[in-house]
């Protein structure tokens, strides 16, 4: 279907842009991954940009659904875009993209009464985006996405006209800056490629042009460096569009490391020995979301800057996304704990056998035969699932993972066969989309429609990788289906339920997805829920306590089971910040 151009930058334009940008990054993902050699040659810039943009687009779609017919204001859509990108930012490139979107949103959402903005307003938004992204990076380096963003803002600032005119000027300015990146950063010139993050930004700005004009722009042009007969770099994107092949990731890295040449680090300094990642650069990438105030974050920046490089801290208003490369991952996390509350912590080891250490293609790691990927609502359950051998995807309350994040988890599992457990009825379609995408990559995926983490626990308990795949899936599905699930939560607002009208602050007992009990005391409500569930029989009760659940609730329920149901066993887990006060499973 043809895209209807947007005249002004309003809420609908924000949604349209996010969708088009996601599509553009999806098309360019493999190409961008292939030219990723800076700041770390790990071949994931395109994927990280895509996942970050997917999170932004999902958040904007959600705010449109919440407002239904009336539709959100520009400020609402812009804030949703920024928040979605912030919580879903992946890698160095995704973190910077999140700050670019946040910078734009700060201008677009400055006046909550503004319905739309014009070309001049778009230019101001792009300027603030580029400036704020540069401030977020501890040691800005030219020849990166920061240079491309600044050039786009400069070009937009001199353009006069409507949003389409300003967007096109920004796009063209970005393309020219992208072509110049090899001349600014030696590692790119040696590898024969342009900056991967900058290439992704050009795709995002191309989608912005399409939003306002309806015109689908061609690809950014050459992503590798052209040289003349004398060996000089020739970088204009307009030249040589005859379709020369892009270097593969391995080729690009091999060229960068040829004859022992060093790769530049975040400060623009040479690593002494590209064959030793620990000597040539930090061994770990650490990323986490952080709840903290501005003063604490300022101290955190100083602390992390002393621990490693590639430091990017983005966000504000109490919520931040922290990205850094370090040798001591524990110290980086501890610094976050001292500053506030870190969560969604991701630590990636740039280990032996990686492109960082070999100077070439990654050695092919043998796939395992079968793996389980599960979405879990709390840190405690994430640990439990991981100990049981599953790849856990942590879902913070109110912030479900996007399909791209699930696909990424399936890839990380590195298995020929994958069992996917969404553990949430609302995630079934998201999980189905992820499974379909993974199948196109040659992975055999079975989706078991688990509606609760306790059903996932039951399925994981009977998982046997040695069985035939179909038999294993049948047994896991049967175990999940035989597990009734419930949760105890606190009502956020007045609402009609199957059990009557609840008020904000009431304790709700929800069985198999429907409110069955409304009470005022957590323990009493939980006991009533458990009684109803056990009235239909059961052999094992699983209790998963959230951080905010009263300490006595588990003891009370265990005592009640021992007293009234002698043949029933009880197991208790700590779920952490899982949203619900208590999850209950009966099987």
């Amino acid at each position: 279907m043809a895209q209807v151009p947007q005249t002004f930058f309003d809420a609908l334009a924000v949604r349209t842009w996010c969708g088009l940008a996601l599509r553009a990054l999806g098309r360019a993902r493999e190409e961008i991954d292939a030219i990723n050699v800076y700041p770390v040659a790990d071949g994931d810039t395109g994927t990280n940009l895509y996942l970050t943009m997917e999170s932004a687009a999902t958040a904007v779609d959600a705010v449109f659904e919440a407002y239904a017919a009336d539709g959100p204001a520009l400020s609402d859509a812009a804030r949703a875009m920024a928040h979605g990108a912030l919580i879903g930012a992946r890698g160095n490139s995704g973190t910077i993209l999140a700050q670019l979107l946040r910078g734009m949103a700060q201008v677009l959402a400055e006046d909550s009464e503004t319905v739309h903005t014009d070309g001049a307003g778009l230019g101001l938004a792009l300027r603030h985006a580029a400036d704020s992204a540069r401030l977020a990076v501890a040691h800005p380096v030219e020849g990166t996405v920061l240079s491309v963003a600044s050039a786009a803002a400069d070009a937009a600032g001199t353009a006069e006209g409507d949003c389409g005119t300003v967007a096109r000027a920004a796009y063209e300015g970005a393309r020219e800056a992208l072509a110049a990146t090899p001349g600014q950063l030696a590692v790119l010139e040696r590898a024969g490629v342009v900056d991967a993050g900058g290439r992704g930004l050009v795709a995002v700005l191309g989608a912005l042009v399409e939003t306002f004009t309806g015109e689908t722009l061609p690809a950014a042009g050459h992503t590798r460096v052209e040289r003349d007969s004398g060996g000089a770099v020739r970088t204009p994107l307009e030249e040589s569009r005859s379709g020369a092949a892009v270097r593969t990731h391995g080729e690009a890295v091999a060229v960068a490391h040829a004859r022992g040449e060093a790769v530049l680090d975040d400060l623009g300094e040479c690593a002494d020995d590209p064959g030793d990642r620990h000597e040539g650069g930090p061994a770990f990438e650490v990323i986490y979301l952080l709840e903290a105030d501005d003063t604490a974050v300022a101290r955190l920046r100083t602390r992390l800057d002393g621990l490693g490089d590639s430091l990017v801290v983005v966000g504000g208003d109490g919520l931040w996304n922290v990205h850094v490369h370090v040798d001591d991952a524990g110290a980086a996390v501890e610094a976050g704990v001292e500053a506030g509350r870190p969560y969604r912590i991701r630590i990636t080891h740039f280990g032996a056998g990686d492109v960082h250490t070999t100077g070439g293609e990654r050695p092919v790691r043998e796939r395992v035969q079968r793996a389980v990927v599960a979405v879990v609502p709390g840190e405690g359950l994430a640990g439990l699932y991981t100990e049981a051998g599953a790849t856990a995807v942590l879902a913070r309350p109110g912030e479900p993972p996007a399909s791209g994040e699930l696909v990424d988890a399936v890839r990380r599992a590195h298995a020929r066969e994958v069992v996917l457990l969404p553990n949430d009825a609302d995630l079934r379609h998201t999980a189905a989309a992820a499974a379909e995408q993974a199948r196109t990559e040659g992975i055999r995926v079975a989706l078991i429609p688990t509606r609760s983490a306790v059903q996932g626990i039951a399925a994981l308990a009977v998982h046997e990788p040695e069985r035939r795949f179909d038999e294993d899936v049948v047994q896991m599905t049967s175990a999940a289906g035989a597990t009734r699930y419930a949760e105890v939560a606190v009502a956020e607002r007045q609402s009609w339920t199957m059990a009557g009208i609840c008020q904000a602050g009431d304790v709700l007992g929800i069985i198999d997805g429907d409110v069955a009990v409304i009470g005022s005391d957590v323990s009493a409500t939980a006991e009533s829920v458990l009684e109803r569930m056990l009235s239909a029989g059961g052999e094992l009760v699983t209790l998963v306590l959230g951080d905010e659940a009263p300490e006595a609730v588990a003891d009370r329920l265990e005592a009640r089971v021992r007293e009234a149901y002698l043949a029933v066993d009880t197991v208790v887990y700590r779920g952490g910040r899982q949203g619900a006060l208590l999850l209950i499973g009966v099987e």
Side-chain angles (χ1 to χ4, degrees):
M1 181 181 296
Q3 182 62 50
V4 179
Q6 304 294 312
T7 305
F8 295 102
F9 206 165
D10 58 8
L12 183 58
V14 172
R15 187 183 199 184
T16 301
W17 178 36
C18 288
L20 292 173
L22 183 62
R23 186 177 69 180
L25 288 171
R27 290 172 174 171
R29 180 182 63 80
E30 292 184 0
E31 172 199 334
I32 297 171
D33 282 346
I35 63 171
N36 173 202
V37 298
Y38 183 86
V40 173
D42 48 1
D44 63 358
T45 290
T47 299
N48 287 337
L49 289 170
Y50 178 86
L51 292 174
T52 302
M53 198 71 229
E54 182 183 43
S55 184
T58 299
V60 174
D61 285 343
V63 81
F64 265 83
E65 291 176 6
Y67 278 86
D70 295 336
L74 171 60
S75 58
D76 296 321
R79 290 192 189 101
M81 173 184 71
H83 181 72
L86 177 67
I87 64 173
R90 305 291 286 273
N92 187 74
S93 55
T95 307
I96 293 175
L97 175 61
Q99 187 65 8
L100 288 167
L101 296 180
R102 177 178 171 80
M104 289 190 69
Q106 287 175 320
V107 174
L108 297 174
E110 190 171 13
D111 184 355
S112 60
E113 300 300 320
T114 299
V115 177
H116 58 72
T117 192
D118 55 13
L122 175 57
L124 290 174
L126 291 168
R127 176 78 272 161
H128 187 64
D131 293 344
S132 62
R134 189 170 286 270
L135 289 172
V137 178
H139 301 281
V141 175
E142 298 306 324
T144 64
V145 64
L146 298 177
S147 303
V148 176
S150 294
D154 291 343
T158 61
E160 297 182 359
D162 58 14
C163 288
T165 301
V166 173
R168 188 179 296 277
Y171 171 76
E172 295 296 342
R175 290 177 76 244
E176 292 179 10
L178 177 66
T181 55
Q184 296 173 292
L185 201 53
V187 65
L188 300 179
E189 182 179 350
R190 287 196 296 270
V193 296
V194 296
D195 180 66
R199 169 65 182 90
L201 181 58
V202 169
V204 172
L205 291 173
L208 187 64
V209 175
E210 185 176 356
T211 298
F212 296 116
T213 68
E215 177 186 356
T216 302
L217 298 177
H222 270 137
T223 52
R224 66 171 188 146
V225 175
E226 300 292 334
R227 300 178 184 272
D228 60 24
S229 58
V233 174
R234 184 178 61 189
T235 59
L237 290 176
E238 291 79 4
E239 294 184 7
S240 304
R241 292 192 179 180
S242 57
V246 175
R247 295 186 190 274
T248 67
H249 172 62
E251 289 169 342
V253 176
V255 172
H257 288 296
R259 297 181 302 280
E261 292 178 335
V263 175
L264 304 188
D265 68 13
D266 180 60
L267 304 180
E269 300 169 347
C270 269
D272 294 331
D273 180 7
D276 187 331
R277 182 64 191 164
H278 286 275
E279 293 181 10
F284 296 94
E285 178 185 58
V286 178
I287 306 173
Y288 50 79
L289 291 178
L290 177 70
E291 293 178 355
D293 59 37
D294 292 2
T295 302
V297 169
R299 292 195 299 267
L300 176 67
R301 288 178 190 269
T302 302
R303 172 87 180 275
L304 293 179
D305 194 25
L307 291 176
D309 60 32
S310 294
L311 174 61
V312 186
V313 181
V314 304
D317 302 321
L319 181 62
W320 309 82
N321 191 305
V322 179
H323 170 281
V324 67
H325 294 172
V326 293
D327 277 323
D328 190 343
V333 175
E334 288 172 6
V337 173
E338 292 175 4
R341 191 183 76 84
Y343 59 97
R344 285 198 182 182
I345 300 168
R346 295 175 58 87
I347 299 174
T348 303
H349 180 216
F350 301 139
D354 189 306
V355 291
H356 307 294
T357 62
T358 62
E361 288 278 15
R362 302 174 191 262
V364 177
R365 178 164 63 94
E366 182 66 21
R367 289 182 178 273
V368 299
Q369 183 60 33
R370 190 173 309 156
V372 177
V373 174
V375 180
V376 292
E379 296 89 345
L381 280 176
L384 174 67
Y385 273 74
T386 301
E387 289 174 7
T391 297
V393 179
L394 185 60
R396 192 180 183 220
E399 298 170 0
S403 62
E405 190 170 352
L406 298 186
V407 173
D408 186 50
V410 170
R411 293 181 183 130
R412 284 190 285 111
H414 203 65
R416 299 182 183 89
E417 302 166 340
V418 172
V419 180
L420 184 56
L421 306 175
N423 291 339
D424 186 336
D426 292 336
L427 283 178
R428 183 170 182 177
H429 294 300
T430 300
E436 189 61 32
Q437 173 61 37
R439 291 182 187 117
T440 66
E441 299 177 11
I443 304 171
R444 189 180 184 187
V445 182
L447 171 61
I448 298 178
T450 48
R451 293 172 168 80
S452 171
V454 292
Q455 288 190 323
I457 291 172
L460 197 56
V462 300
H463 168 55
E464 290 186 13
E466 295 77 18
R467 272 195 299 238
R468 288 196 311 109
F469 185 62
D470 291 340
E471 292 178 359
D472 198 27
V473 171
V474 168
Q475 292 299 319
M476 294 177 72
T477 302
S478 177
T483 303
R484 300 190 67 196
Y485 63 96
E487 66 179 70
V488 177
V490 177
E492 296 181 355
R493 63 183 67 86
Q494 184 185 63
S495 180
W496 289 87
T497 75
M498 295 290 289
I501 300 175
C502 70
Q503 305 295 329
D506 282 348
V507 180
L508 306 180
I510 305 168
I511 301 176
D512 293 338
D514 292 323
V515 176
V517 180
I518 300 175
S520 57
D521 178 75
V522 174
S523 296
T525 302
E527 184 173 339
S528 178
V529 168
L530 185 56
E531 292 279 4
R532 293 190 182 208
M533 296 178 75
L534 287 173
S535 66
E539 299 175 353
L540 176 65
V541 171
T542 300
L543 305 175
V544 183
L545 297 176
D547 277 351
E548 298 180 1
E551 287 294 328
V553 65
D555 293 338
R556 177 168 173 174
L557 295 180
E558 285 187 284
R560 179 57 184 159
V561 171
R562 285 195 302 269
E563 174 187 316
Y565 305 94
L566 299 179
V568 178
D569 294 323
T570 304
V571 60
V572 180
Y573 302 111
R574 297 282 176 177
R577 287 177 58 88
Q578 62 185 24
L581 298 174
L582 176 68
L583 300 179
I584 303 174
V586 174
E587 52 185 296

